[in-house]
Amino acid sequence: MATTLPSQMARSWWILVLYGVIGVIFGLVAIARPGEAALALAWTIGVMAIAEAVISVVAMFSGEGAVSKGWLAFYALVSLVFGVLAVMNPLATAAGLVIFLGAWLLVSGIFRIVFAIRVRKQIDGEWMIGLSGLLAIVLGAMFMAKPLIGALVTTFWIGAIALVYGVMQIAAGLRLRKMVRIA
């Protein structure tokens, strides 16, 4: 027995395909040109931060903010400063984000090793947790030592994931289209 798809979903199969095409294009660009893609991502984050600053100022003056005007003003200022810096110097932003990622990996790696040592008598395979901690520390140290290379590698992997995502979205959209024709 075939399931009937809601008509709105049936008519919007092309949206999935469009998302997929965008994902594939972004993925291919990020894989082929990770440097440019990393800069574009950092620049986009900066633009988003500026937009959030503007929205926060509007919310502050409209009285529709869920937090106090002081917090909105603080958030707007921090977002604006970060956004302008990211737009003006996306290379430094990308490198800075990778340094923060490296620092987090160092801390999380140490945490995993300590955790593995503490639970070694309660669970089997704790060495895998410890090994994942060691790998996180190595990756974090590499990111902090060479943040620009880390940004390129990270962008490459984001591109690979976007490529897979895009292909899956296209396949889902085309499958939905086929189901619509059958129904």
Side-chain angles (χ1 to χ4, degrees), residues 5-178:
L5 295 169
S7 62
Q8 182 63 27
M9 180 185 273
R11 289 191 307 255
S12 60
W13 64 268
W14 62 272
I15 294 173
L16 289 174
V17 172
L18 183 59
Y19 286 156
V21 169
I22 291 168
V24 166
I25 291 170
F26 173 78
L28 290 173
V29 169
I31 290 169
R33 307 199 47 94
E36 289 85 350
L39 292 178
L41 286 172
W43 186 85
T44 302
I45 290 169
V47 170
M48 289 172 48
I50 292 170
E52 288 209 14
V54 170
I55 292 167
S56 297
V57 168
V58 169
M60 186 173 64
F61 287 111
S62 71
E64 295 182 20
V67 296
S68 72
K69 288 185 178 189
W71 278 112
L72 277 171
F74 175 72
Y75 181 68
L77 180 63
V78 169
S79 295
L80 182 63
V81 169
F82 173 76
V84 168
L85 291 174
V87 167
M88 290 177 62
N89 193 349
L91 183 62
T93 302
L97 291 172
V98 171
I99 289 171
F100 278 118
L101 175 60
W104 174 76
L105 284 167
L106 289 173
V107 170
S108 70
I110 293 168
F111 171 80
R112 289 177 192 160
I113 291 171
V114 169
F115 178 75
I117 291 168
R118 291 201 175 168
V119 299
R120 70 183 179 277
K121 292 182 182 178
Q122 287 86 17
I123 65 171
D124 291 327
E126 78 287 349
W127 65 272
M128 289 186 281
I129 298 169
L131 180 59
S132 75
L134 180 63
L135 292 173
I137 290 170
V138 169
L139 184 60
M142 288 169 51
F143 276 3
M144 292 183 78
K146 301 281 187 181
L148 294 179
I149 292 172
L152 295 177
V153 170
T154 302
T155 304
F156 179 85
W157 283 107
I158 290 171
I161 291 166
L163 184 60
V164 170
Y165 164 83
V167 169
M168 292 173 65
Q169 288 292 99
I170 291 169
L174 294 176
R175 185 164 184 203
L176 182 59
R177 180 178 179 214
K178 185 177 180 182

